[in-house]
Amino acid sequence: MGEWTLFSPGDRAPNDGVYIETGVNSFHMGIQNPKKVSLNRGQRFPETSNHERKWKRMGHN
């Protein structure tokens, strides 16, 4: 089993790290001023700026 790469608000962080918002069209359009959060393992992800966004760990693809 692999580790998830995208997380929804309310999910628990699998590892310590900095997570950034990513969106459906972020590859083509980019996200202006995405939220960034630093979480410890087990902490819950906060709400995103809109319902189409998810959290992704920075520095990992």
Side-chain angles (χ1 to χ4, degrees), residues 1-21:
M1 287 198 191
E3 182 181 317
W4 291 0
T5 57
L6 296 177
F7 305 94
S8 297
D11 288 348
R12 293 189 182 270
N15 295 301
D16 296 350
V18 176
Y19 295 83
I20 190 168
E21 282 185 317

Side-chain angles (χ1 to χ4, degrees), residues 15-43:
N15 295 301
D16 296 350
V18 176
Y19 295 83
I20 190 168
E21 282 185 317
T22 188
V24 176
N25 295 323
S26 64
F27 177 76
H28 299 290
M29 299 170 52
I31 293 179
Q32 298 295 327
N33 302 316
K35 284 185 182 178
K36 295 179 187 177
V37 293
S38 180
L39 298 175
N40 293 321
R41 183 178 182 194
Q43 286 185 301

Side-chain angles (χ1 to χ4, degrees), residues 47-60:
E47 290 297 317
T48 54
S49 298
N50 72 45
H51 69 280
E52 294 182 349
R53 294 188 182 171
K54 300 281 186 181
W55 292 104
K56 182 176 183 177
R57 188 166 178 203
M58 288 184 67
H60 288 84

